[in-house]
Amino acid sequence: MRVVVIGGGVARAGPVLFAPLRTALREQATLPFLHALDVRPALLGADAGLVGAAAAVHDLWESEHL
């Protein structure tokens, strides 16, 4: 299964965004694997970008200070 996770402020749109997006993927996608694509909001919601940036800085710090 393939999953697309949408985070940040956009994810707060909830069903207003996700319901039509899922319907459009099912009905209009021309590549077969897109029909089974699972689109869901990030568990971290609006903080997803912030947490991702912090993780990237942490990884960079660790790789430079080993």
Side-chain angles (χ1 to χ4, degrees):
M1 172 171 57
R2 306 246 186 233
V3 178
V4 173
V5 179
I6 298 176
V10 173
R12 282 188 259 170
V16 171
L17 169 68
F18 290 100
L21 179 56
R22 290 176 183 131
T23 299
L25 278 170
R26 241 184 355 265
E27 295 175 355
Q28 298 178 24
T30 56
L31 299 173
F33 76 91
L34 293 175
H35 295 244
L37 195 64
D38 182 17
V39 181
R40 60 177 77 169
L43 294 176
L44 297 172
D47 294 332
L50 179 62
V51 173
V57 169
H58 177 268
D59 290 348
L60 180 62
W61 176 267
E62 289 291 314
S63 69
E64 291 182 0
H65 293 89
L66 289 178

